[in-house]
Each structure stands twice: as structure tokens, then as C-alpha cells.
Amino acid sequence: SSHFKAYPNPVSSTLQVETTTPDDCSVSILDMTGRKVIFTMIVTPIPGSPSELDLSNLPEGVYVVRIQSATTQQFHQRIIKK
């Protein structure tokens, strides 16, 4: 089972990132060439309480959400930006 969730998918403006771990997490949005287009840290997240990422400035297309914390496996999810 994953420690992370990213929704809605497809997303038009705001991506919700939810974690079950209280550890700091880095969140990267990568385009299909692997270029990092957005990077943010979620510091001491509250498990079950989503953090919001503004994707409204991204062009439409397919992206990968990559979430990493010190203690958990890296999480990847493909999302569609509408």
C-alpha cells in the first residue's frame, strides 16, 4: 500500500497531495521529458490532511508526480493536466 495519494486526475488547477507519513516530503512534477517543472517541500504534513499544489500555469499534457520522504519508498503517479 502506498503512503501517498495525488488527486484529482485529470487535474485542471489544484492538485491535492495526501500522505500517511508525518515526515517531510519533497514533491516534484516532471514533464514527459523528465524535466522538473514544479518542486516543493511539504514540511511535517498532517496525515490525512491534503496539501495543495497549484498546477494552473502548466500547459495541458501528461506529467509525473514524484513524492519522496526520508523513510518511505518513492512514489510516482502519472497525471493528466487539462
Side-chain angles (χ1 to χ4, degrees), residues 11 21 31-32 42 53 60 69 72-73 75 78 80 82:
V11 58
T21 168
D31 67 14
M32 284 289 95
I42 302 174
L53 240 67
E60 293 187 1
S69 83
T72 57
Q73 291 286 87
F75 169 80
R78 190 172 282 200
I80 295 167
K82 283 213 179 300

Side-chain angles (χ1 to χ4, degrees), residues 2-54:
S2 174
H3 295 281
F4 303 106
K5 275 197 297 207
Y7 57 90
N9 189 14
V11 58
S12 55
S13 59
T14 304
L15 185 72
Q16 308 279 344
V17 176
E18 209 174 296
T19 170
T20 60
T21 168
D23 304 316
D24 297 359
C25 304
S26 65
V27 182
S28 309
I29 308 290
L30 311 174
D31 67 14
M32 284 289 95
T33 68
R35 194 170 59 93
K36 199 179 284 185
V37 291
I38 290 180
F39 177 80
T40 189
M41 290 294 297
I42 302 174
V43 180
T44 56
I46 300 161
S49 174
S51 302
E52 297 190 344
L53 240 67
D54 180 13

